[in-house]
Amino acid sequence: MKLDDLRVEIDSVDEELIELFMKRMDIALQVAEYKKEHNLPVLNTQREREILNKVSDRVSEKAGAELDTYARVFFSTLLDVSRSRQNLFLSGESSLTQRALKAMKETPILFPEKATVACQGIEGAYSQFASEKIFKLPSIMYFNTFENVFSAVEKGLCQYGILPIENSSAGSVGEVYDLMKNHNFSIAKSVKLHIKHTLLVNPGTKLSDIKEIYSHEQALNQCGRFLKDLKNVKIKVCENTAEAAQTVKSLANNHSAAISSRNCAALYGLEILDDDIQNSDNNYTRFICISKNLEIYPGANRISLMLSVPHRPLALYHIIAKFAALGLNMSKLESRPVPGSDFDFMFYFDIDGSLHSEPVLALMSQLEKELDFFVFLGNYPEE
């Protein structure tokens, strides 16, 4: 047969599938009505297992084992969408839908120019520069740890907090991701900052004099090639690059150096011994601006989520398939182990999309109702 003839046959089969799909979804809705009347849960694991086993047996009997896996994936997806429709029917509007509609209505059109902002570190930290890029007139409060930044926003001590979340060459800031699940916050905005690292020393220090280098772990990773060429130099990890510069200044010797910024050279009276020592000139760190309450500003084009999925085959696939069905680009997927658990993982998603789209809002609402652990982190613009 010619290709055009085969396509005609496929179109004919698809028409039959569409009719059968609509019929099945209609029956699924009738099942939901019965479950609502008799106070029954949507998910019946035993029933779904029986269906998949029956499908597997029938397909294997008629076509052999070759199509078994494809059939299970197809029917697993069909069960998933049926369950989703039942959940929407039974649950109605989710708490997320209410929060999102309220935020879109009450959030100002313009992002504030002035605010009290929490940053980790001391004056000269990159979080400060990110804050000054987001706000024209920030009043910055410095805290020792990332966790204290989360707490300051959560308790209302500061209106916003600035946190580094990932670097283009060194990857994710794992500590920040791990802290997310312990605090209540929303992401209001994000910004990418071009990072250039310099080697700072006390006046008169030569490269051959250096015996120890201070910096933040991420900065050290971003300058790995430069450090690899140095011999017999100890690495000292600091809370941030500004603290590294401050430490070298306080030591007042000629054998200590800091990997920090040009701004810190002027701020702490140090000399720049070497400039642009990062592995790549294309070195960017992404910072998030967090708020206590959900704020959704005009132009919000990125959605961030945290969730976990059941321990069963294709569970994560079904989540990703829901995004794909709406044409949503997934720009980041990060898995983090859940402390104290036996190989349980939490997943962090960044998705290009907006809650102003009704299908997207409906999907977020659906995930909130279906999953045991689901946290909507925000819908925000990125500079």
Side-chain angles (χ1 to χ4, degrees), residues 134 187-192 286-289 380-383:
I134 292 175
I187 302 175
K189 198 171 188 177
S190 69
V191 63
K192 289 180 180 177
R286 180 171 166 242
F287 291 82
I288 54 172
C289 176
Y380 53 94
E382 177 168 281
E383 291 186 358

Side-chain angles (χ1 to χ4, degrees), residues 124-224:
Y126 284 111
S127 291
Q128 173 193 333
F129 306 146
S131 176
E132 291 170 345
K133 187 172 181 180
I134 292 175
F135 301 94
K136 287 186 177 180
L137 296 170
S139 176
I140 300 176
M141 296 181 65
Y142 293 101
F143 296 87
N144 292 333
T145 65
F146 292 139
E147 182 161 23
N148 287 341
V149 173
F150 278 108
S151 296
V153 174
E154 192 175 29
K155 295 175 181 177
L157 183 61
C158 294
Q159 294 169 271
Y160 297 96
I162 303 295
L163 293 156
I165 194 169
E166 61 181 326
N167 177 266
S168 56
S169 58
S172 300
V173 184
E175 183 182 354
V176 174
Y177 280 99
D178 290 338
L179 287 168
M180 284 184 175
K181 59 183 174 295
N182 300 328
H183 295 276
N184 295 317
F185 69 96
S186 292
I187 302 175
K189 198 171 188 177
S190 69
V191 63
K192 289 180 180 177
L193 195 66
H194 191 202
I195 304 295
K196 290 188 175 183
H197 293 302
T198 58
L199 187 68
L200 306 184
V201 296
N202 285 299
T205 302
K206 296 178 293 186
L207 188 61
S208 58
D209 297 330
I210 297 173
K211 302 299 181 186
E212 55 188 18
I213 293 180
Y214 294 80
S215 197
H216 185 266
E217 184 178 9
Q218 280 272 329
L220 292 168
N221 290 336
Q222 293 163 29
C223 301

Side-chain angles (χ1 to χ4, degrees), residues 15-39:
E15 285 296 323
E16 294 180 45
L17 286 174
I18 290 170
E19 292 298 323
L20 291 172
F21 173 74
M22 293 170 60
K23 182 177 180 180
R24 195 187 196 287
M25 293 298 283
D26 183 61
I27 296 172
L29 196 58
Q30 295 177 48
V31 171
E33 292 172 348
Y34 181 90
K35 288 178 177 178
K36 182 177 182 179
E37 184 179 345
H38 294 83
N39 197 30

Side-chain angles (χ1 to χ4, degrees), residues 84-128:
S84 297
R85 191 176 194 202
Q86 290 185 20
N87 274 320
L88 286 173
F89 173 78
L90 292 173
S91 301
E93 230 179 41
S94 72
S95 60
L96 172 59
T97 301
Q98 296 169 4
R99 286 173 54 222
L101 292 174
K102 183 174 184 291
M104 287 186 283
K105 180 180 179 181
E106 297 181 357
T107 301
I109 295 176
L110 299 177
F111 199 81
E113 295 184 351
K114 301 179 181 179
T116 305
V117 183
C119 289
Q120 185 270 341
I122 59 176
E123 189 175 0
Y126 284 111
S127 291
Q128 173 193 333

